Amino acid sequence: FSNQYTEEEARKLGVVGWVKNTSQGTVTGQVQGPEDKVNAMKSWLSKVGSPSSRIDRTSFSNEKEISKLDFSGFSTRY
């Protein structure tokens, strides 16, 4: 899974947060921003993803309204 594409999509949509590949071959992360932009990112993660990735299923949890963003940009964690 190439996180470069995820970072580019996040910047294009205007959401902040992070993404990380796990040792189990899955991807985890956090996305923050206006609800419509977050929903657009969720849709991209569920249906598109990076060119070489295969998406078997997506799971979104811990969704809540926040008063301010915890991140200033979107990054890859290792």
Side-chain angles (χ1 to χ4, degrees):
F1 192 89
S2 172
N3 292 327
Q4 171 193 346
Y5 294 98
T6 307
E7 286 183 33
E8 284 176 17
E9 189 66 19
R11 286 194 197 96
K12 198 163 72 180
L13 290 171
V15 295
V16 298
W18 57 271
V19 67
K20 177 182 177 179
N21 292 323
T22 72
S23 55
Q24 294 84 28
T26 61
V27 179
T28 186
Q30 188 170 356
V31 177
Q32 295 182 351
E35 188 177 13
D36 60 329
K37 293 185 186 326
V38 169
N39 286 337
M41 188 69 189
K42 284 164 60 178
S43 178
W44 185 86
L45 290 166
S46 301
K47 299 181 176 85
V48 185
S50 58
S52 58
S53 66
R54 190 183 90 227
I55 304 166
D56 293 324
R57 69 185 175 89
T58 50
S59 171
F60 301 103
S61 59
N62 196 21
E63 297 185 48
K64 59 182 185 284
E65 286 198 24
I66 53 175
S67 55
K68 66 176 185 60
L69 301 174
D70 297 321
F71 309 99
S72 56
F74 199 91
S75 61
T76 297
R77 293 186 176 177
Y78 298 97

